[in-house]
Amino acid sequence: MDVHVSLAGPGDRATRIHRQLLEAILDGRLRPGERLPPSRELARRLDVSRNTVAVAYERLTAEGLLTARVGAGTFVAGEPVARARPRPAPAGGVRPRAFWASAAPAPTAAPRPGHDFRAGTPDTGLFPLATWRRLVAGELRTATIRGGYADPAGHQGLRTAVARYVGLARAVRAAPEDVVVTHGAQQALDLIARVVLEPGDRVAVEEPGYPPARRLFAGHGARVVPVPVDDQGLDVRALPGDARLVYVTPSHQFPLGVRMSPARRAALLDWAAARDAVVVEDDYDTEFRFSARPLDPLQTLDRAGKVVYVGTFSKTLLPMLRLGFLVAPASLRPALLAARQLTDWHGDHTTQAALARFIDSGELARHIRKATRVYAERRDLIDAALRSDLADWLDPVPSTAGLHLCARLRPETGVDLPEVVARAAEVGVTVREIAGYRAGPPGPTGLVLGYGAVGTADVPDGLRLLARSFRG
């Protein structure tokens, strides 16, 4: 064999050997019938263990590219399996619907700035990885693996744990059969839209509000109508009379952070009951509370069965776990389960079972207490800066929960906020404007300052750099 094998490059040693031999076979540098060196000899040449080479040979044999003959050695297969090199798929002439033709996925792998004040991102360093690894490993024992497909509603143990948890932590009225486990809040919204909305239905969303929810409803063919939010939450008087669905974040409005007042909550529930509309209550990050117990959720106050409560573990644990849930009225559950089964059947029951044990053992409550202490310190630093170094330009919006604070720009300052954000980015500070969360005409703007992704020690320096960016 004249092919040179090098151990330089990414991947473990067996993978690198396998890759280079594969390339040689596809290139024709190793021809059908050619004999490869014995694994012991190649291992000696490369100064690796014989087992490493044997693993590479075994992979190529399993792929049909090598054959082993007892007493003779290992040879390139006479008629190897065709292995075309990767190449682009045909461009094609198929076109998506008009909405999707202009849609593009949001970037997910952008480099992290030095001072990351983006909202909605938890601190992954706080996640109890060792505990989680132990729980997942326990669920992967052979005794826990079952054949066949699983319940689209989710792992029974997790549904029971979630019902108990939201009942204690948020006063949500839920039995295990009311809970549907989802791949995060976004899938919950998708399932609700699938079973509730007809193309052309009107959907009311908060303005400013959560862009992914707005886009999802539009993707289902709904006519999305922005409804203004003030210091008491969604303005119920501005709701369109024919709205089929209203999407709200009443406990910690996204992005402003205000709580919907008791009067507005009662008015919204009365409005929905009178018009047979669905209210989707997204309670996305109120586990992290910095004051007294919050107001009862809409779901708890609802007597007409119009509210679907949506929760997620992306903020309390990790977004990559893709775990969330919804609590639905009995009238919607059969349709929701049918939609879940038709779209992806069910989630990963191993992860769901591990989360059930994580909740039942008290680990979730312990993690939330620890994370809340860390986030409270960062939040206090931001709040103090908004009342001192940044007070000439920004007015903080009162908020008692969550992973971000919002501050409105003082209109008399005459500051060009996009320029400030751009200057901050140049010095490694990432912040978002309130304007980026609006769909309708421009309105009062300001900054959304998240404290989940920025380290506590980095907060003061980041805020000083932000203040410098305001000065120009």
Side-chain angles (χ1 to χ4, degrees):
M1 182 183 78
D2 296 329
V3 176
H4 173 69
V5 177
S6 167
L7 294 180
D12 60 73
R13 292 181 172 188
T15 298
R16 283 177 272 175
I17 295 169
H18 165 270
R19 183 174 60 246
Q20 292 177 63
L21 292 176
L22 172 63
E23 292 287 334
I25 293 170
L26 295 176
D27 288 344
R29 288 176 287 143
L30 286 175
R31 296 178 296 278
E34 188 170 349
R35 181 175 182 273
L36 271 65
S39 57
R40 189 187 305 277
E41 179 185 336
L42 185 55
R44 179 180 53 77
R45 288 191 208 172
L46 299 176
D47 193 24
V48 297
S49 71
R50 182 184 180 188
N51 185 60
T52 298
V53 176
V55 168
Y57 280 11
E58 287 168 5
R59 291 181 190 174
L60 291 164
T61 300
E63 293 166 342
L65 298 172
L66 298 181
T67 58
R69 303 174 194 166
V70 178
T74 302
F75 300 82
V76 178
E79 296 181 0
V81 177
R83 293 288 297 272
R85 292 183 177 282
R87 54 179 178 164
V94 180
R95 296 288 182 267
R97 286 170 39 208
F99 172 85
W100 296 106
S102 59
T108 57
R112 291 190 61 172
H115 303 88
D116 189 354
F117 290 101
R118 288 176 294 184
T121 304
D123 188 339
T124 58
L126 299 177
F127 181 68
L129 183 58
T131 300
W132 183 255
R133 184 186 297 116
R134 173 175 54 79
L135 293 174
V136 172
E139 293 302 325
L140 286 173
R141 295 192 309 270
T142 303
T144 67
I145 304 300
R146 299 288 184 268
Y149 293 101
D151 189 341
H155 185 276
Q156 178 63 39
L158 180 55
R159 293 162 62 202
T160 301
V162 166
R164 186 185 311 113
Y165 168 70
V166 296
L168 290 172
R170 294 291 287 113
V172 171
R173 296 181 298 145
E177 57 268 23
D178 300 320
V179 177
V180 179
V181 180
T182 63
H183 289 306
Q186 202 68 12
Q187 187 186 42
L189 300 181
D190 182 72
L191 292 174
I192 296 164
R194 286 176 185 274
V195 305
V196 168
L197 298 177
E198 298 282 357
D201 277 350
R202 200 177 294 253
V203 171
V205 299
E206 297 168 320
E207 175 76 348
Y210 183 52
R214 187 167 59 231
R215 291 195 294 267
L216 185 144
F217 296 130
H220 279 281
R223 293 177 296 159
V224 179
V225 180
V227 178
V229 172
D230 59 25
D231 289 342
Q232 295 188 61
L234 182 83
D235 186 352
V236 179
R237 297 167 302 177
L239 285 170
D242 61 346
R244 174 67 178 129
L245 183 150
V246 182
Y247 171 80
V248 289
T249 54
S251 296
H252 185 233
Q253 198 278 332
F254 188 88
L256 295 181
V258 300
R259 292 194 301 179
M260 183 181 284
S261 68
R264 291 275 179 91
R265 292 173 188 242
L268 177 57
L269 292 174
D270 289 344
W271 183 95
R275 291 165 175 78
D276 193 28
V278 177
V279 176
V280 178
E281 178 178 17
D282 189 349
D283 196 5
Y284 62 98
D285 71 351
T286 53
E287 287 87 354
F288 305 116
R289 296 195 293 269
F290 311 105
S291 67
R293 184 180 179 87
L295 298 173
D296 283 342
L298 292 170
Q299 192 268 358
T300 305
L301 304 172
D302 178 27
R303 294 294 178 264
K306 300 300 182 184
V307 176
V308 184
Y309 181 89
V310 173
T312 180
F313 293 99
S314 293
K315 306 297 185 289
T316 50
L317 298 177
L318 290 176
M320 65 177 291
L321 293 181
R322 305 311 308 135
L323 284 169
F325 60 92
L326 60 84
V327 178
S331 57
L332 281 182
R333 283 201 303 271
L336 289 166
L337 295 180
R340 179 69 195 274
Q341 193 172 59
L342 286 173
T343 51
D344 74 340
W345 203 294
H346 61 79
D348 175 7
H349 270 219
T350 298
T351 305
Q352 292 179 19
L355 180 56
R357 294 174 61 195
F358 190 80
I359 296 172
D360 289 340
S361 66
E363 290 291 344
L364 177 61
R366 189 176 297 112
H367 168 67
I368 289 174
R369 286 195 299 271
K370 174 186 175 182
T372 300
R373 289 193 297 270
V374 173
Y375 293 146
E377 184 178 359
R378 299 174 187 176
R379 179 181 181 277
D380 289 347
L381 290 170
I382 295 174
D383 185 64
L386 289 173
R387 300 177 191 280
S388 56
D389 292 352
L390 295 166
D392 288 343
W393 306 282
L394 299 170
D395 285 324
V397 178
S399 175
T400 60
L403 285 173
H404 71 271
L405 284 171
C406 199
R408 293 188 177 98
L409 181 68
R410 290 174 175 246
E412 68 272 15
T413 63
V415 167
D416 187 326
L417 198 56
E419 283 191 12
V420 172
V421 171
R423 285 196 294 266
E426 291 174 358
V427 293
V429 177
T430 297
V431 291
R432 296 284 185 266
E433 293 181 68
I434 296 174
Y437 299 95
R438 292 188 179 278
T445 190
L447 294 180
V448 182
L449 294 161
Y451 42 81
V454 61
T456 305
D458 294 326
V459 171
D461 186 48
L463 295 173
R464 281 193 293 270
L465 291 170
L466 179 60
R468 188 184 304 167
S469 300
F470 270 99
R471 296 187 188 100

